[in-house]
Amino acid sequence: MKLKVGSKNYDLNFGIGFVRNLDKYYGVNVQGMSFGMGLTKALSGLRVYDPASLSEVLYIATWADATRPTQEAIDRVLEDDNTDIEKLFDGVMKELATANATKIAVKNLQA
């Protein structure tokens, strides 16, 4: 899946690096122990069509691109009236449902 920000298309990567970065962003730290709950938190936000969650997931999914867009640039894309945000939510969920690193979590969340 690609995301166009300005004049550039960015590849979205939903692999293990994506999950690790979600854990850093959303992770839970209890008494010095880190629990990787990033994917679960992100999926919950996407299921209820939370635009902040979508922006964060899109930003994190560009982790492998050295010239990744800023979070603010992605926010502007989502705020643009020409962006079909519902289609973008659905596309991201479809990608997460088929990516090897995330498909089981998506399946379990939908059960």
Side-chain angles (χ1 to χ4, degrees):
M1 180 174 186
K2 293 189 182 293
L3 176 68
K4 186 171 185 174
V5 179
S7 61
K8 183 171 181 195
N9 284 316
Y10 293 91
D11 288 318
L12 302 180
N13 183 314
F14 297 107
I16 298 295
F18 168 74
V19 175
R20 282 193 183 115
N21 281 293
L22 279 175
D23 287 344
K24 289 177 189 174
Y25 194 89
Y26 288 115
V28 176
N29 196 343
V30 178
Q31 297 179 350
M33 294 176 19
S34 181
F35 297 94
M37 299 295 294
L39 184 56
T40 302
K41 287 183 175 182
L43 290 172
S44 297
L46 293 173
R47 283 188 67 199
V48 297
Y49 289 81
D50 175 41
S53 293
L54 178 61
S55 178
E56 292 156 359
V57 165
L58 292 171
Y59 175 72
I60 294 167
T62 62
W63 68 272
D65 193 319
T67 63
R68 76 192 300 188
T70 64
Q71 183 79 65
E72 293 77 18
I74 292 173
D75 289 349
R76 285 191 298 274
V77 169
L78 298 180
E79 292 167 351
D80 188 322
D81 289 338
N82 294 317
T83 298
D84 185 343
I85 196 167
E86 185 174 3
K87 183 178 177 181
L88 195 50
F89 269 109
D90 294 343
V92 168
M93 284 302 293
K94 182 179 177 184
E95 290 290 321
L96 291 169
T98 59
N100 201 44
T102 57
K103 67 184 177 184
I104 295 171
V106 172
K107 180 181 174 185
N108 287 337
L109 188 64
Q110 292 174 340

